[in-house]
Amino acid sequence: MRVVVIGAGVAGLALARGLLLAGLDAEVYEEATEPRTAGGSVTLWPGSTAILKELKVDLAGIGRRLETMESWDGAGRPLFTVDLTAAERRFGHPTVHIARRELVELLADGVPVVYGARAEHVVPERAEVRLAGGDTVRGDVLVGADGRRSAVRAALWGDDPAGLSGWVTWQGFATRPTALTEQRRAIMVPGARGLCGLIPAGRGRLLWWFDVRSAPGRPFWADDPHVVARLRERFAGWPDPVPAVLEGLADADFFPHHRHRVRSAWGRGPVTLAGDSAHTMPPTMAQGANQALEDAWLLTRSIGDLRGYERARSKVVRRPARLAATEVTNVQRIFAGLIPDRLATRVYAAWLRGASNYLLTVS
């Protein structure tokens, strides 16, 4: 069986890697002219670190193993703390925060990728893709893992189903040492003006992000020339180390939040989808890369039953997609003090299991 994968993001690379390990023929075609490593970093929950182990991806010395996930109020007082080591003990695998660049590089090792190969015309019935430049590729199975603007999905579904949620993220890495940089704590500080998140990513880096409400033509949108000054003004006076992050902020990456209803059927005939092309969701639950890895894991095992793969995945991925669409982490302050830490820890571990085909299968 020959599987053609369009898109060399987390989903496409992980799928191709899994198929190759299973002894199948897989090749990836990527529109970009070089590996897609843009973006800050991602949190990999226990199901994903287990999947990466099966894919023979060694995370030793890469990123940062996390032990707690904490929510603070504007004065730096804890609202609640989730003990991530409880999920690690329950599922046998840790939670790790890793730079997206490092994850992509690890997944791409040994995987055949043709870069600069934009999908121009897709014929789903024949699992066929004409690339820009005139070449045509065809497989027994075609997988669209080419992101929110997927050319494969457009051939299957038509127009992009995703819409803006009303929130955006500005993010980057702080490399100046802070009190959190070498720790194993993920911190979120929600407030009426937005949310600031801080997570150590290893190698002296601290991922920071600010979630704020915005829309095209409004402040904090991609073309806002004053965004750094606006962020400093909006989040002034927030607890340490937010002031140090704001002081060192020179530039930031912009990501608008998109969401759509997850369909039960993603493809037809010999074609299916994986990753954001199938289920775009806001980053508020840190599930994008995790659900991409879940897709790759299950599709590797279901390559002969594409509709079965779609049914099984849509049932599970719909849970985090719906929750992320509410932007719940950006308004979590309203739940402060309602749930004890011990209960929050148990609930979160149960939720992680319910959002993972892997954990539902093996744990």
Side-chain angles (χ1 to χ4, degrees), residues 277-296:
S277 61
H279 42 70
T280 297
M281 66 187 76
T284 50
M285 297 302 296
Q287 284 291 323
N290 291 274
Q291 295 302 322
L293 289 168
E294 293 277 346
D295 288 349

Side-chain angles (χ1 to χ4, degrees), residues 97-337:
H97 194 75
I98 181 174
R100 182 176 294 274
R101 170 183 292 274
E102 293 167 349
L103 177 60
V104 168
E105 289 173 348
L106 289 169
L107 287 170
D109 185 31
V111 174
V113 181
V114 179
Y115 292 101
R118 179 171 59 86
E120 195 170 68
H121 181 68
V122 179
V123 184
E125 294 72 19
R126 297 202 296 267
E128 179 180 288
V129 179
R130 186 179 72 235
L131 304 172
D135 290 342
T136 297
V137 294
R138 186 182 297 114
D140 299 299
V141 172
L142 171 65
V143 180
D146 45 341
R148 194 182 64 79
R149 298 182 180 86
S150 169
V152 178
R153 187 198 59 228
L156 294 165
W157 297 5
D159 294 339
D160 182 358
L164 294 169
S165 78
W167 287 84
V168 303
T169 294
W170 289 91
Q171 72 172 32
F173 285 123
T175 55
R176 295 182 184 178
T178 74
L180 291 176
T181 303
E182 299 303 323
Q183 295 188 19
R184 301 184 183 276
R185 304 157 69 196
I187 307 296
M188 289 177 288
V189 188
R193 291 169 286 175
L195 176 138
C196 175
L198 303 162
I199 309 182
R203 299 182 178 177
R205 297 164 300 189
L206 182 73
L207 176 76
W208 55 261
W209 77 93
F210 295 97
D211 284 357
V212 294
R213 293 185 183 273
S214 188
R218 293 175 55 188
F220 294 106
W221 195 252
D223 53 359
D224 184 348
H226 308 295
V227 67
V228 171
R230 293 189 199 278
L231 289 172
R232 286 174 174 160
E233 178 182 7
R234 174 162 292 202
F235 294 94
W238 283 39
D240 289 333
V242 179
V245 168
L246 289 169
E247 181 182 355
L249 199 156
D251 198 4
D253 292 327
F254 171 77
F255 299 95
H257 295 194
H258 290 85
R259 59 189 177 188
H260 69 87
R261 179 180 62 84
V262 176
R263 298 189 180 192
S264 297
W266 300 348
R268 66 175 183 266
V271 182
T272 192
L273 303 173
D276 283 353
S277 61
H279 42 70
T280 297
M281 66 187 76
T284 50
M285 297 302 296
Q287 284 291 323
N290 291 274
Q291 295 302 322
L293 289 168
E294 293 277 346
D295 288 349
W297 177 80
L298 188 59
L299 184 50
T300 297
R301 285 151 181 77
S302 309
I303 201 68
D305 181 12
L306 301 185
R307 304 294 84 80
Y309 150 75
E310 293 166 7
R311 287 191 298 270
R313 282 297 295 135
S314 63
K315 181 179 179 180
V316 172
V317 75
R318 194 172 284 126
R319 298 166 189 163
R322 283 174 174 168
L323 192 57
T326 69
E327 302 283 0
V328 64
T329 58
N330 290 326
V331 295
Q332 60 186 277
R333 67 186 186 281
I334 65 177
F335 304 109

